[in-house]
Amino acid sequence: MEEIKPYYHKVQYYETDTMTVVHHSNYIRWFEEARLDYLEQIHFPYPEIEERNLMIPVLGVSCEYRQAVRFGEMVLIETEIIKFNGIKFTVSYKIYNENHQVLHAQGNTEHCFLDKEFHPVSIKKKAPDLYEFFANKTLHNR
């Protein structure tokens, strides 16, 4: 299994408040950026998933804020699939400073696979290659 590289993000001024501290809502956006980067790295870019008539909506999100991030700083985000049952899955995120020494935030997003009519889909039949990757990934995380 190939190594997944962390996603890097440089904090932009518009992402901050009047104290140049990143607004809490932006961490959730960074989760999405990192998740899409993760899908590209595992060779399942989101546009290709949509071409298979699959959607991956967010069912839930949580984030624990530990230390503020400020304008101009670079963060790295580690992304990992931690749960998968064939229809639903959970992604874990850890946001560190660029030297990987300070954990700024951590959280999870929960997702499912839907078809274009918004019906749950078991990807074991619809996308066996995607199923195999997710199943193997979560098997290694136990």
Side-chain angles (χ1 to χ4, degrees), residues 24-25 27-29 31-32 35 58-65 90-91 93 106-111:
H24 66 276
S25 65
Y27 293 82
I28 307 308
R29 290 180 179 95
F31 286 178
E32 182 172 319
R35 185 171 60 254
V58 175
L59 301 175
V61 64
S62 65
C63 186
E64 178 184 338
Y65 306 97
T90 302
V91 182
Y93 309 87
Q106 62 186 14
N108 296 319
T109 54
E110 298 171 4
H111 305 267

PDB file of all heavy atoms in Angstrom, residues 24-25 27-29 31-32 35 58-65 90-91 93 106-111:
ATOM      1  N   HIS A  24     -12.782  29.351  13.118  1.00  0.00           N
ATOM      2  CA  HIS A  24     -13.012  27.915  13.329  1.00  0.00           C
ATOM      3  C   HIS A  24     -13.647  27.208  12.131  1.00  0.00           C
ATOM      4  O   HIS A  24     -13.389  26.036  11.896  1.00  0.00           O
ATOM      5  CB  HIS A  24     -13.858  27.691  14.583  1.00  0.00           C
ATOM      6  CG  HIS A  24     -15.248  28.200  14.489  1.00  0.00           C
ATOM      7  ND1 HIS A  24     -15.585  29.510  14.745  1.00  0.00           N
ATOM      8  CD2 HIS A  24     -16.390  27.576  14.144  1.00  0.00           C
ATOM      9  CE1 HIS A  24     -16.883  29.668  14.568  1.00  0.00           C
ATOM     10  NE2 HIS A  24     -17.392  28.505  14.207  1.00  0.00           N
ATOM     11  N   SER A  25     -14.469  27.888  11.357  1.00  0.00           N
ATOM     12  CA  SER A  25     -15.142  27.237  10.226  1.00  0.00           C
ATOM     13  C   SER A  25     -14.167  26.794   9.138  1.00  0.00           C
ATOM     14  O   SER A  25     -14.464  25.866   8.381  1.00  0.00           O
ATOM     15  CB  SER A  25     -16.199  28.167   9.625  1.00  0.00           C
ATOM     16  OG  SER A  25     -15.580  29.317   9.062  1.00  0.00           O
ATOM     17  N   TYR A  27     -11.340  25.249   9.434  1.00  0.00           N
ATOM     18  CA  TYR A  27     -10.771  23.922   9.663  1.00  0.00           C
ATOM     19  C   TYR A  27     -11.614  22.859   8.945  1.00  0.00           C
ATOM     20  O   TYR A  27     -11.074  21.901   8.401  1.00  0.00           O
ATOM     21  CB  TYR A  27     -10.698  23.615  11.162  1.00  0.00           C
ATOM     22  CG  TYR A  27      -9.708  24.486  11.908  1.00  0.00           C
ATOM     23  CD1 TYR A  27     -10.058  25.761  12.328  1.00  0.00           C
ATOM     24  CD2 TYR A  27      -8.426  24.027  12.184  1.00  0.00           C
ATOM     25  CE1 TYR A  27      -9.150  26.556  13.021  1.00  0.00           C
ATOM     26  CE2 TYR A  27      -7.520  24.800  12.876  1.00  0.00           C
ATOM     27  CZ  TYR A  27      -7.892  26.080  13.290  1.00  0.00           C
ATOM     28  OH  TYR A  27      -6.989  26.849  13.964  1.00  0.00           O
ATOM     29  N   ILE A  28     -12.925  23.052   8.937  1.00  0.00           N
ATOM     30  CA  ILE A  28     -13.812  22.106   8.253  1.00  0.00           C
ATOM     31  C   ILE A  28     -13.568  22.161   6.741  1.00  0.00           C
ATOM     32  O   ILE A  28     -13.557  21.120   6.072  1.00  0.00           O
ATOM     33  CB  ILE A  28     -15.290  22.405   8.591  1.00  0.00           C
ATOM     34  CG1 ILE A  28     -15.524  22.461  10.112  1.00  0.00           C
ATOM     35  CG2 ILE A  28     -16.208  21.396   7.915  1.00  0.00           C
ATOM     36  CD1 ILE A  28     -15.038  21.277  10.901  1.00  0.00           C
ATOM     37  N   ARG A  29     -13.335  23.347   6.221  1.00  0.00           N
ATOM     38  CA  ARG A  29     -13.001  23.481   4.793  1.00  0.00           C
ATOM     39  C   ARG A  29     -11.685  22.776   4.492  1.00  0.00           C
ATOM     40  O   ARG A  29     -11.533  22.135   3.453  1.00  0.00           O
ATOM     41  CB  ARG A  29     -12.933  24.955   4.406  1.00  0.00           C
ATOM     42  CG  ARG A  29     -14.257  25.635   4.412  1.00  0.00           C
ATOM     43  CD  ARG A  29     -14.113  27.120   4.007  1.00  0.00           C
ATOM     44  NE  ARG A  29     -15.403  27.760   3.988  1.00  0.00           N
ATOM     45  CZ  ARG A  29     -15.920  28.458   5.004  1.00  0.00           C
ATOM     46  NH1 ARG A  29     -15.228  28.612   6.125  1.00  0.00           N
ATOM     47  NH2 ARG A  29     -17.111  29.012   4.901  1.00  0.00           N
ATOM     48  N   PHE A  31     -10.515  20.236   6.070  1.00  0.00           N
ATOM     49  CA  PHE A  31     -10.799  18.801   6.058  1.00  0.00           C
ATOM     50  C   PHE A  31     -11.202  18.372   4.648  1.00  0.00           C
ATOM     51  O   PHE A  31     -10.739  17.346   4.145  1.00  0.00           O
ATOM     52  CB  PHE A  31     -11.928  18.449   7.028  1.00  0.00           C
ATOM     53  CG  PHE A  31     -11.594  18.475   8.491  1.00  0.00           C
ATOM     54  CD1 PHE A  31     -12.580  18.216   9.420  1.00  0.00           C
ATOM     55  CD2 PHE A  31     -10.316  18.765   8.968  1.00  0.00           C
ATOM     56  CE1 PHE A  31     -12.315  18.217  10.785  1.00  0.00           C
ATOM     57  CE2 PHE A  31     -10.027  18.789  10.328  1.00  0.00           C
ATOM     58  CZ  PHE A  31     -11.036  18.505  11.241  1.00  0.00           C
ATOM     59  N   GLU A  32     -12.082  19.158   4.026  1.00  0.00           N
ATOM     60  CA  GLU A  32     -12.534  18.797   2.676  1.00  0.00           C
ATOM     61  C   GLU A  32     -11.391  18.859   1.674  1.00  0.00           C
ATOM     62  O   GLU A  32     -11.242  17.963   0.838  1.00  0.00           O
ATOM     63  CB  GLU A  32     -13.665  19.720   2.215  1.00  0.00           C
ATOM     64  CG  GLU A  32     -14.183  19.339   0.837  1.00  0.00           C
ATOM     65  CD  GLU A  32     -15.429  20.101   0.446  1.00  0.00           C
ATOM     66  OE1 GLU A  32     -16.319  20.293   1.299  1.00  0.00           O
ATOM     67  OE2 GLU A  32     -15.508  20.492  -0.732  1.00  0.00           O
ATOM     68  N   ARG A  35      -9.333  15.816   2.223  1.00  0.00           N
ATOM     69  CA  ARG A  35     -10.039  14.596   1.800  1.00  0.00           C
ATOM     70  C   ARG A  35      -9.980  14.451   0.281  1.00  0.00           C
ATOM     71  O   ARG A  35      -9.722  13.362  -0.251  1.00  0.00           O
ATOM     72  CB  ARG A  35     -11.489  14.643   2.282  1.00  0.00           C
ATOM     73  CG  ARG A  35     -12.279  13.405   2.021  1.00  0.00           C
ATOM     74  CD  ARG A  35     -13.638  13.428   2.701  1.00  0.00           C
ATOM     75  NE  ARG A  35     -14.504  14.520   2.292  1.00  0.00           N
ATOM     76  CZ  ARG A  35     -14.796  15.605   3.019  1.00  0.00           C
ATOM     77  NH1 ARG A  35     -14.291  15.763   4.224  1.00  0.00           N
ATOM     78  NH2 ARG A  35     -15.603  16.537   2.561  1.00  0.00           N
ATOM     79  N   VAL A  58     -21.363  14.508   3.146  1.00  0.00           N
ATOM     80  CA  VAL A  58     -20.945  14.543   4.545  1.00  0.00           C
ATOM     81  C   VAL A  58     -22.183  14.318   5.409  1.00  0.00           C
ATOM     82  O   VAL A  58     -23.181  15.015   5.276  1.00  0.00           O
ATOM     83  CB  VAL A  58     -20.292  15.897   4.893  1.00  0.00           C
ATOM     84  CG1 VAL A  58     -19.965  15.976   6.384  1.00  0.00           C
ATOM     85  CG2 VAL A  58     -19.045  16.128   4.053  1.00  0.00           C
ATOM     86  N   LEU A  59     -22.122  13.338   6.292  1.00  0.00           N
ATOM     87  CA  LEU A  59     -23.222  13.043   7.222  1.00  0.00           C
ATOM     88  C   LEU A  59     -23.007  13.708   8.573  1.00  0.00           C
ATOM     89  O   LEU A  59     -23.965  14.011   9.290  1.00  0.00           O
ATOM     90  CB  LEU A  59     -23.353  11.533   7.429  1.00  0.00           C
ATOM     91  CG  LEU A  59     -23.613  10.706   6.183  1.00  0.00           C
ATOM     92  CD1 LEU A  59     -23.600   9.223   6.537  1.00  0.00           C
ATOM     93  CD2 LEU A  59     -24.921  11.097   5.542  1.00  0.00           C
ATOM     94  N   GLY A  60     -21.756  13.901   8.934  1.00  0.00           N
ATOM     95  CA  GLY A  60     -21.444  14.517  10.212  1.00  0.00           C
ATOM     96  C   GLY A  60     -20.004  14.980  10.228  1.00  0.00           C
ATOM     97  O   GLY A  60     -19.175  14.499   9.457  1.00  0.00           O
ATOM     98  N   VAL A  61     -19.731  15.943  11.095  1.00  0.00           N
ATOM     99  CA  VAL A  61     -18.366  16.454  11.230  1.00  0.00           C
ATOM    100  C   VAL A  61     -18.124  16.850  12.679  1.00  0.00           C
ATOM    101  O   VAL A  61     -19.033  17.317  13.368  1.00  0.00           O
ATOM    102  CB  VAL A  61     -18.117  17.651  10.269  1.00  0.00           C
ATOM    103  CG1 VAL A  61     -19.002  18.831  10.606  1.00  0.00           C
ATOM    104  CG2 VAL A  61     -16.662  18.060  10.247  1.00  0.00           C
ATOM    105  N   SER A  62     -16.898  16.598  13.136  1.00  0.00           N
ATOM    106  CA  SER A  62     -16.504  17.044  14.472  1.00  0.00           C
ATOM    107  C   SER A  62     -15.080  17.567  14.385  1.00  0.00           C
ATOM    108  O   SER A  62     -14.282  17.112  13.566  1.00  0.00           O
ATOM    109  CB  SER A  62     -16.590  15.903  15.484  1.00  0.00           C
ATOM    110  OG  SER A  62     -15.646  14.902  15.163  1.00  0.00           O
ATOM    111  N   CYS A  63     -14.791  18.547  15.240  1.00  0.00           N
ATOM    112  CA  CYS A  63     -13.449  19.113  15.263  1.00  0.00           C
ATOM    113  C   CYS A  63     -13.120  19.575  16.674  1.00  0.00           C
ATOM    114  O   CYS A  63     -13.930  20.239  17.319  1.00  0.00           O
ATOM    115  CB  CYS A  63     -13.342  20.298  14.291  1.00  0.00           C
ATOM    116  SG  CYS A  63     -11.660  20.936  14.129  1.00  0.00           S
ATOM    117  N   GLU A  64     -11.968  19.193  17.132  1.00  0.00           N
ATOM    118  CA  GLU A  64     -11.461  19.627  18.429  1.00  0.00           C
ATOM    119  C   GLU A  64     -10.306  20.593  18.162  1.00  0.00           C
ATOM    120  O   GLU A  64      -9.312  20.232  17.534  1.00  0.00           O
ATOM    121  CB  GLU A  64     -10.963  18.417  19.222  1.00  0.00           C
ATOM    122  CG  GLU A  64     -10.375  18.770  20.561  1.00  0.00           C
ATOM    123  CD  GLU A  64      -9.800  17.551  21.271  1.00  0.00           C
ATOM    124  OE1 GLU A  64     -10.202  16.414  20.955  1.00  0.00           O
ATOM    125  OE2 GLU A  64      -8.924  17.759  22.134  1.00  0.00           O
ATOM    126  N   TYR A  65     -10.478  21.820  18.620  1.00  0.00           N
ATOM    127  CA  TYR A  65      -9.478  22.866  18.403  1.00  0.00           C
ATOM    128  C   TYR A  65      -8.519  22.889  19.587  1.00  0.00           C
ATOM    129  O   TYR A  65      -8.939  22.989  20.731  1.00  0.00           O
ATOM    130  CB  TYR A  65     -10.174  24.225  18.246  1.00  0.00           C
ATOM    131  CG  TYR A  65     -11.224  24.197  17.165  1.00  0.00           C
ATOM    132  CD1 TYR A  65     -12.568  24.004  17.482  1.00  0.00           C
ATOM    133  CD2 TYR A  65     -10.875  24.325  15.830  1.00  0.00           C
ATOM    134  CE1 TYR A  65     -13.533  23.957  16.482  1.00  0.00           C
ATOM    135  CE2 TYR A  65     -11.835  24.276  14.829  1.00  0.00           C
ATOM    136  CZ  TYR A  65     -13.158  24.090  15.164  1.00  0.00           C
ATOM    137  OH  TYR A  65     -14.110  24.044  14.174  1.00  0.00           O
ATOM    138  N   THR A  90     -15.726   6.729   7.788  1.00  0.00           N
ATOM    139  CA  THR A  90     -15.283   7.855   8.600  1.00  0.00           C
ATOM    140  C   THR A  90     -13.848   8.190   8.246  1.00  0.00           C
ATOM    141  O   THR A  90     -13.003   7.300   8.108  1.00  0.00           O
ATOM    142  CB  THR A  90     -15.370   7.511  10.102  1.00  0.00           C
ATOM    143  OG1 THR A  90     -16.723   7.152  10.417  1.00  0.00           O
ATOM    144  CG2 THR A  90     -14.946   8.690  10.969  1.00  0.00           C
ATOM    145  N   VAL A  91     -13.591   9.481   8.105  1.00  0.00           N
ATOM    146  CA  VAL A  91     -12.251   9.977   7.814  1.00  0.00           C
ATOM    147  C   VAL A  91     -11.765  10.766   9.020  1.00  0.00           C
ATOM    148  O   VAL A  91     -12.500  11.574   9.578  1.00  0.00           O
ATOM    149  CB  VAL A  91     -12.249  10.881   6.557  1.00  0.00           C
ATOM    150  CG1 VAL A  91     -10.837  11.357   6.239  1.00  0.00           C
ATOM    151  CG2 VAL A  91     -12.854  10.156   5.359  1.00  0.00           C
ATOM    152  N   TYR A  93      -8.784  13.375  10.673  1.00  0.00           N
ATOM    153  CA  TYR A  93      -7.873  14.445  10.259  1.00  0.00           C
ATOM    154  C   TYR A  93      -7.084  14.919  11.472  1.00  0.00           C
ATOM    155  O   TYR A  93      -7.632  15.051  12.564  1.00  0.00           O
ATOM    156  CB  TYR A  93      -8.634  15.656   9.711  1.00  0.00           C
ATOM    157  CG  TYR A  93      -9.646  15.309   8.664  1.00  0.00           C
ATOM    158  CD1 TYR A  93     -10.941  14.948   9.017  1.00  0.00           C
ATOM    159  CD2 TYR A  93      -9.312  15.341   7.313  1.00  0.00           C
ATOM    160  CE1 TYR A  93     -11.881  14.618   8.055  1.00  0.00           C
ATOM    161  CE2 TYR A  93     -10.251  15.008   6.344  1.00  0.00           C
ATOM    162  CZ  TYR A  93     -11.531  14.649   6.724  1.00  0.00           C
ATOM    163  OH  TYR A  93     -12.458  14.334   5.769  1.00  0.00           O
ATOM    164  N   GLN A 106      -7.920  18.411  15.523  1.00  0.00           N
ATOM    165  CA  GLN A 106      -8.164  17.069  15.010  1.00  0.00           C
ATOM    166  C   GLN A 106      -9.664  16.850  14.948  1.00  0.00           C
ATOM    167  O   GLN A 106     -10.425  17.472  15.689  1.00  0.00           O
ATOM    168  CB  GLN A 106      -7.496  16.004  15.866  1.00  0.00           C
ATOM    169  CG  GLN A 106      -7.986  15.941  17.291  1.00  0.00           C
ATOM    170  CD  GLN A 106      -7.158  14.949  18.108  1.00  0.00           C
ATOM    171  OE1 GLN A 106      -6.086  14.511  17.691  1.00  0.00           O
ATOM    172  NE2 GLN A 106      -7.663  14.591  19.270  1.00  0.00           N
ATOM    173  N   GLY A 107     -10.067  15.991  14.036  1.00  0.00           N
ATOM    174  CA  GLY A 107     -11.491  15.734  13.919  1.00  0.00           C
ATOM    175  C   GLY A 107     -11.786  14.611  12.946  1.00  0.00           C
ATOM    176  O   GLY A 107     -10.879  13.943  12.443  1.00  0.00           O
ATOM    177  N   ASN A 108     -13.087  14.434  12.697  1.00  0.00           N
ATOM    178  CA  ASN A 108     -13.569  13.377  11.803  1.00  0.00           C
ATOM    179  C   ASN A 108     -14.690  13.911  10.935  1.00  0.00           C
ATOM    180  O   ASN A 108     -15.406  14.833  11.333  1.00  0.00           O
ATOM    181  CB  ASN A 108     -14.146  12.206  12.613  1.00  0.00           C
ATOM    182  CG  ASN A 108     -13.126  11.517  13.455  1.00  0.00           C
ATOM    183  OD1 ASN A 108     -11.995  11.297  13.042  1.00  0.00           O
ATOM    184  ND2 ASN A 108     -13.514  11.177  14.674  1.00  0.00           N
ATOM    185  N   THR A 109     -14.844  13.296   9.781  1.00  0.00           N
ATOM    186  CA  THR A 109     -16.047  13.475   8.975  1.00  0.00           C
ATOM    187  C   THR A 109     -16.619  12.098   8.693  1.00  0.00           C
ATOM    188  O   THR A 109     -15.874  11.131   8.529  1.00  0.00           O
ATOM    189  CB  THR A 109     -15.778  14.211   7.641  1.00  0.00           C
ATOM    190  OG1 THR A 109     -14.737  13.543   6.923  1.00  0.00           O
ATOM    191  CG2 THR A 109     -15.402  15.659   7.870  1.00  0.00           C
ATOM    192  N   GLU A 110     -17.944  12.018   8.677  1.00  0.00           N
ATOM    193  CA  GLU A 110     -18.631  10.770   8.365  1.00  0.00           C
ATOM    194  C   GLU A 110     -19.327  10.933   7.025  1.00  0.00           C
ATOM    195  O   GLU A 110     -19.909  11.982   6.740  1.00  0.00           O
ATOM    196  CB  GLU A 110     -19.641  10.448   9.457  1.00  0.00           C
ATOM    197  CG  GLU A 110     -18.991  10.238  10.804  1.00  0.00           C
ATOM    198  CD  GLU A 110     -19.989  10.128  11.939  1.00  0.00           C
ATOM    199  OE1 GLU A 110     -21.210  10.138  11.680  1.00  0.00           O
ATOM    200  OE2 GLU A 110     -19.542  10.033  13.080  1.00  0.00           O
ATOM    201  N   HIS A 111     -19.284   9.883   6.217  1.00  0.00           N
ATOM    202  CA  HIS A 111     -19.801   9.927   4.853  1.00  0.00           C
ATOM    203  C   HIS A 111     -20.547   8.637   4.518  1.00  0.00           C
ATOM    204  O   HIS A 111     -20.397   7.636   5.208  1.00  0.00           O
ATOM    205  CB  HIS A 111     -18.643  10.065   3.856  1.00  0.00           C
ATOM    206  CG  HIS A 111     -17.758  11.224   4.129  1.00  0.00           C
ATOM    207  ND1 HIS A 111     -17.949  12.441   3.555  1.00  0.00           N
ATOM    208  CD2 HIS A 111     -16.686  11.348   4.952  1.00  0.00           C
ATOM    209  CE1 HIS A 111     -17.022  13.272   3.997  1.00  0.00           C
ATOM    210  NE2 HIS A 111     -16.245  12.632   4.854  1.00  0.00           N
TER     211      HIS A 111
END
